[in-house]
Amino acid sequence: MELHGLFFLLFLFTIAGEPVCANVRDRRLKKLTTQANGEFRPTKLFVFGDSYSDTGNNPKRLASSWKTPYGVTFPGKPAGRYSDGRVLTDYVARFMGIKSPLAYQWRKYGQKRLQYGVNFAYGGTGVFDTGNLEPNMTTQIGFLQGLIKEGVYTKRDLESSLALVTVSGNDYSAYISSGGPRQDLPSFMSHVVNQMGINLKVIHDMGVRKVLVSSLQPIGCLPQQTVFSSYQQCNETENAASYYHNQMLQQVVTELNNATKDCSFLILDLFSSFTTVLKNKGDYTGSLKFDTPLKPCCMPTSSDVYCGSRDENGKALYTVCNEPESAFFWDSVHPSQAGWRAVYLTLRSSLNRIYS
Ligand SMILES: *[C@@H]1O[C@H](CO)[C@@H](O)[C@H](O)[C@H]1NC(C)=O
Ligand SMILES: *[C@@H]1O[C@H](CO)[C@@H](O)[C@H](O)[C@H]1NC(C)=O
Ligand SMILES: *[C@@H]1O[C@H](CO)[C@@H](O)[C@H](O)[C@H]1NC(C)=O
């Protein structure tokens, strides 16, 4: 593979906004006219993936998501989300009109909340093991299979369910940091995407009606990259890698839809929504504005610490911006609540496709 900025430009013209399943709209129209009540209205959300969707699964004593200043905007204290507030899962649940599903680790304490589904996502994980002890995606899917065996959910429950799957690149950072050769990265990427396809199929085969999978965000626009240009520009070489991943994902999803003869699998295009919001420096309604969108709100005071780090005397080794709602990114890799909200506003029309 050649990694060129050109890929990034091509992307904007070829894929952005393109429906994964052709003729969805036509079919939906037909359905609406022939069976008024036949539309799919999911009542449960099952979530698999990493920190882009985790709402509190990582252990309190280890994860930065449980440290101040995470959660400062919502719920007002650290609560296991990798943001100052809400994350993608919360907005997808809001779109469905349900409460955000309970984090799997709290399932015993929230029997009533189980009616909205369960969030199995763990920050830091990938489709493969990423060098920490948190469950990879296969294991996360196994947790749902376990709940079905226990009788917590029936096959019928799954038929009125939506799954959200996020993969935001931990497999790749683990590959690079473990010294995997750069020239073999493309074949590793295809390995990752193929495993994603296997996972998506397993989720669907369990009976889940619709499976939403995120495309890889433009990784070259994350503050951990833009710091090298004083937060002025994205690294397009890195973005080309996201593009490459997304092309393969698109193909896998197209094949799955073809094989299952319906439009069960949908891509939630984080690449184009991040790109649009970053380019516009805000959401399209104009209610959210990000003046320096490539600069995070929470910044460590040196490169060997993180947002949330403290010294042995408890002194904060990070600074937090005055208005988290005017920052797209919360920390070096995660959007703020306002960032996720802007992304969500961009995704709403494609989320409508779950109803077809
Ligand atoms: C996921 O984790 C389990 C348990 O550690 C391991 O046995 C399995 O091989 C992993 N799966 C993948 C696809 O990496
Ligand atoms: C962009 O990313 C590539 C690949 O990680 C790296 O080699 C290059 O130095 C980066 N460029 C800049 C300007 O940071
Ligand atoms: C779609 O599926 C049919 C068989 O069900 C197969 O013959 C065809 O090659 C598939 N097309 C694509 C684009 O995968």
Side-chain angles (χ1 to χ4, degrees):
M1 173 188 55
E2 292 229 342
L3 291 173
H4 275 310
L6 183 60
F7 275 125
F8 176 64
L9 289 175
L10 278 175
F11 172 88
L12 293 173
F13 295 109
T14 54
I15 297 193
E18 188 185 309
V20 171
C21 244
N23 304 322
V24 168
R25 230 157 285 198
D26 304 350
R27 248 193 271 168
R28 182 168 181 224
L29 269 180
K30 210 155 118 203
K31 238 192 201 162
L32 279 175
T33 50
T34 53
Q35 55 178 121
N37 299 320
E39 270 193 63
F40 173 58
R41 289 280 159 193
T43 56
K44 290 176 179 49
L45 177 60
F46 294 103
V47 186
F48 307 92
D50 51 30
S51 56
Y52 274 21
S53 53
D54 185 0
T55 53
N57 274 318
N58 273 345
K60 274 190 178 178
R61 66 206 151 72
L62 295 178
S64 62
S65 56
W66 287 100
K67 290 181 182 155
T68 306
Y70 285 81
V72 64
T73 304
F74 170 84
K77 59 174 188 194
R81 285 175 173 78
Y82 290 82
S83 169
D84 61 314
R86 294 173 180 85
V87 297
L88 182 62
T89 302
D90 302 305
Y91 287 106
V92 171
R94 177 179 293 186
F95 180 84
M96 294 165 66
I98 63 170
K99 290 204 164 128
S100 199
L102 200 65
Y104 179 65
Q105 76 154 329
W106 307 117
R107 66 194 177 283
K108 290 199 175 62
Y109 310 106
Q111 293 292 337
K112 255 189 87 182
R113 279 292 275 279
L114 293 177
Q115 65 178 300
Y116 305 115
V118 179
N119 187 343
F120 301 99
Y122 285 76
T125 63
V127 299
F128 298 119
D129 291 331
T130 52
N132 60 24
L133 296 173
E134 307 315 329
N136 61 35
M137 195 176 287
T138 307
T139 306
Q140 293 173 23
I141 294 168
F143 291 154
L144 177 55
Q145 288 162 333
L147 292 182
I148 293 164
K149 268 204 199 102
E150 287 170 28
V152 177
Y153 295 111
T154 62
K155 177 107 182 145
R156 201 159 157 193
D157 288 330
L158 294 186
E159 278 162 14
S160 56
S161 297
L162 177 72
L164 169 66
V165 177
T166 66
V167 173
S168 56
N170 290 320
D171 291 289
Y172 304 137
S173 20
Y175 176 87
I176 300 285
S177 65
S178 71
R182 277 240 166 224
Q183 72 271 19
D184 294 345
L185 187 56
S187 72
F188 179 66
M189 292 179 84
S190 84
H191 206 46
V192 167
V193 174
N194 283 336
Q195 183 63 39
M196 282 175 79
I198 292 167
N199 295 350
L200 297 174
K201 186 169 183 314
V202 170
I203 294 168
H204 180 258
D205 287 350
M206 288 164 76
V208 176
R209 259 293 276 291
K210 295 270 172 176
V211 184
L212 273 177
V213 56
S214 66
S215 71
L216 189 59
Q217 75 281 7
I219 52 174
C221 298
L222 300 178
Q224 68 177 10
Q225 283 301 324
T226 63
V227 62
F228 300 115
S229 65
S230 306
Y231 307 113
Q232 295 306 301
Q233 58 199 36
C234 301
N235 182 324
E236 307 247 312
T237 312
E238 296 270 330
N239 281 352
S242 294
Y243 171 83
Y244 184 68
H245 169 104
N246 291 337
Q247 283 252 301
M248 291 189 290
L249 179 63
Q250 176 99 45
Q251 198 179 336
V252 161
V253 163
T254 303
E255 279 164 15
L256 283 170
N257 277 329
N258 182 44
T260 54
K261 308 256 181 291
D262 57 14
C263 286
S264 296
F265 303 91
L266 298 167
I267 290 181
L268 200 56
D269 197 351
L270 293 191
F271 189 106
S272 75
S273 56
F274 273 51
T275 305
T276 302
V277 173
L278 293 172
K279 204 172 87 208
N280 295 345
K281 299 188 172 187
D283 75 305
Y284 70 90
T285 69
S287 68
L288 296 161
K289 289 211 166 62
F290 310 116
D291 288 335
T292 48
L294 300 177
K295 185 178 175 181
C297 175
C298 185
M299 292 204 284
T301 51
S302 64
S303 63
D304 53 347
V305 293
Y306 305 94
C307 172
S309 295
R310 285 168 190 278
D311 69 12
E312 60 272 23
N313 301 317
K315 187 172 165 285
L317 297 176
Y318 57 85
T319 58
V320 181
C321 65
N322 289 330
E323 297 176 354
E325 67 275 17
S326 60
F328 178 82
F329 285 108
W330 166 245
D331 64 14
S332 63
V333 290
H334 302 111
S336 65
Q337 169 172 297
W340 277 125
R341 187 171 149 69
V343 163
Y344 163 66
L345 292 173
T346 309
L347 290 171
R348 259 195 317 199
S349 61
S350 58
L351 277 168
N352 269 318
R353 303 207 316 264
I354 64 179
Y355 297 134
S356 57

